[in-house]
Amino acid sequence: MATTQTNKDTPGTSGAEAEPSSASTPTTKRVHHAVVTPLPPAFSIVHESSSLIAQPALDSAVIKATMGLGLHAEKAQRRKEILGMAAMVLSSLFFTSMTLGVKISFLGHFGSFEIVFSRSVIQLVLSLLACLVLRINPLGPHGIRRWLLLRGIFMALGLSLFFYSLTTCPLVEAIGLFFLGPVFTYLLGAIWLDNRLTAWDCLYTLMSILGVVLIMQPGLFVPSSPSMTPPPSFLAAIAPTTSARQWGHVCALAGAAMSAMAFLTIRKIGRTAHFLVHSVYFGIMSMLISLPGWFVFQRWLYPSPDTNQLPIVALGLVGVFAFAGQCFLHLGLKWAPAGLGLLSHNTDIVFALFAGWAVLHEIPDSMTWMGAIIIAVATTAFAMHQLKLRAIHVATIHATRKRKSRERLYTNTTASSSED
């Protein structure tokens, strides 16, 4: 009879509800067996030793994984992440080659709007061909086409302003100022989308402003000559005046603001549209905007057989380099960890410094060097801080879900014990 009563008191039943058994089955053993079973080991710690409003413990592994500051432990995934980082570096190399092509084309007397139009035609053709091969609708989903159109307008305006700055400023100055796009994105997001900015974000913004002042100071406060030595052969000749250089700085900043506006429209578009669809809209709107600007504000140049062929080749390669850079950037954002991919993308400044020195013989002064480095560091720190805030938010949600799961387990176990 004692044996039958012991088998009936299975784990999950209460010792108080069981009938007294014989001396061969001690009561203390049965009570101890019933207490251990219903409660998960960490549950009593969370609910008995913590405050009345429990704060979920954040998992550092979740924060690290969300920020993407390390490679995956699995070999196949780690190889894919390394390829993603390499793709980010290659995208920076192609975009720097594109800016170099813009400089060479302008030095061959092609206007900035003509260069934008040439890039837009080549980019549009390549994007449509890629959509045809991959069987992608180039117009995108029906519900977001107006937002794709608006994004294309912002990107086209930003490109036109940036290309004009490239034709009037040294390479590193234009790219350094255009690099402020992420700062404009977060500031505009704080104004229009109620994004929360912290004291650190304000500090990084002030650092970026300091970098802007250091870059623009040679053209604004000191009437010095441009920070470049005369290049050899046909590259010599065109040195921007002080006023044109100032306008170039302003256009680079305005282009960065337009790129930030284009990035904010992604909140409405989401991930439903393929990046080639964005490229199609970008190419169409760039053509429509650059064409009137080309004929109204600048003179039309038709290459003649006796002109130097290098600017003509560079004019054609601008669109090819831009399309290749977009493709590698898409792969890098898809494969690389977020944090490491962001750090890899900062090679834009390094490539710009090297290209300006090796090809265009542009030698930045110390203030320009310092300004470009400060902007690169500030924008990277700004983006990494926002990434950390997002990782903490994700870890909080993960911890809250884990706590609620334990609470449900405890509730179900207690209810089952009461029924038994």
Side-chain angles (χ1 to χ4, degrees), residues 27-317:
T27 304
T28 55
K29 182 178 181 181
R30 186 166 59 251
V31 172
H32 175 73
H33 184 67
V35 169
V36 174
T37 305
L39 300 178
F43 186 85
S44 60
I45 298 176
V46 173
H47 289 269
E48 298 293 336
S49 302
S50 59
S51 59
L52 294 178
I53 301 177
Q55 300 295 328
L58 302 184
D59 191 349
S60 59
V62 175
I63 297 178
K64 183 178 179 181
T66 305
M67 292 189 65
L69 296 177
L71 296 176
H72 202 276
E74 186 181 351
K75 186 176 181 180
Q77 182 65 24
R78 185 168 64 250
R79 185 184 300 112
K80 189 175 183 179
E81 291 176 346
I82 293 175
L83 290 176
M85 294 172 58
M88 295 290 287
V89 175
L90 284 176
S91 72
S92 298
L93 179 60
F94 277 114
F95 283 132
T96 304
S97 302
M98 178 201 70
T99 58
L100 190 60
V102 173
K103 296 285 288 187
I104 296 176
S105 300
F106 175 73
L107 295 176
H109 302 284
F110 291 103
S112 61
F113 282 112
E114 188 174 0
I115 300 172
V116 171
F117 183 80
S118 173
R119 170 197 156 138
S120 303
V121 172
I122 296 174
Q123 175 181 332
L124 180 60
V125 171
L126 293 176
S127 300
L128 289 174
L129 289 175
C131 288
L132 180 63
V133 172
L134 298 177
R135 296 182 180 180
I136 298 172
N137 183 4
L139 298 179
H142 287 280
I144 60 172
R145 288 179 181 176
R146 65 181 183 276
W147 291 105
L148 288 169
L149 184 64
L150 183 62
R151 174 175 165 80
I153 293 174
F154 285 137
M155 293 176 69
L157 291 174
L159 180 70
S160 301
L161 292 167
F162 177 53
F163 274 22
Y164 178 78
S165 69
L166 286 172
T167 61
T168 56
C169 302
L171 194 63
V172 67
E173 292 184 13
I175 293 181
L177 294 175
F178 193 73
F179 213 73
L180 287 169
V183 176
F184 282 110
T185 300
Y186 293 119
L187 293 179
L188 293 175
I191 296 173
W192 290 333
L193 302 178
D194 295 329
N195 290 346
R196 185 172 64 90
L197 293 179
T198 64
W200 286 106
D201 298 326
C202 296
L203 175 62
Y204 300 142
T205 302
L206 293 176
M207 290 176 59
S208 302
I209 294 174
L210 175 61
V212 171
V213 171
L214 290 176
I215 289 180
M216 298 178 69
Q217 186 174 4
L220 287 177
F221 305 108
V222 182
S224 60
S225 59
S227 58
M228 62 177 76
T229 57
S233 68
F234 87 100
L235 293 178
I238 302 181
T241 62
T242 302
S243 60
R245 193 170 179 181
Q246 292 176 11
W247 274 108
H249 291 157
V250 173
C251 287
L253 292 173
M258 288 296 103
S259 68
M261 295 291 293
F263 186 83
L264 289 177
T265 57
I266 296 180
R267 298 285 186 91
K268 295 293 184 179
I269 297 174
R271 299 184 179 182
T272 55
H274 197 274
F275 86 97
L276 290 174
V277 176
H278 292 274
S279 183
V280 169
Y281 279 88
F282 184 18
I284 293 175
M285 299 313 302
S286 298
M287 288 175 55
L288 296 178
I289 290 177
S290 62
L291 196 59
W294 180 11
F295 287 100
V296 173
F297 299 105
Q298 297 175 350
R299 63 186 181 88
W300 180 63
L301 176 65
Y302 183 79
S304 58
D306 57 341
T307 57
N308 196 308
Q309 299 300 313
L310 182 58
I312 301 176
V313 174
L315 184 67
L317 289 177

Side-chain angles (χ1 to χ4, degrees), residues 81 83-88 327-337 341:
E81 291 176 346
L83 290 176
M85 294 172 58
M88 295 290 287
C327 293
F328 280 108
L329 178 61
H330 171 72
L331 292 177
L333 293 174
K334 185 178 179 180
W335 291 347

Side-chain angles (χ1 to χ4, degrees), residues 341-365:
L342 180 64
L343 295 175
S344 301
H345 193 56
N346 283 337
T347 51
D348 283 353
I349 296 292
V350 178
F351 288 140
L353 288 169
F354 179 78
W357 168 75
V359 181
L360 301 175
H361 295 264
E362 296 175 350
I363 303 177
D365 54 20

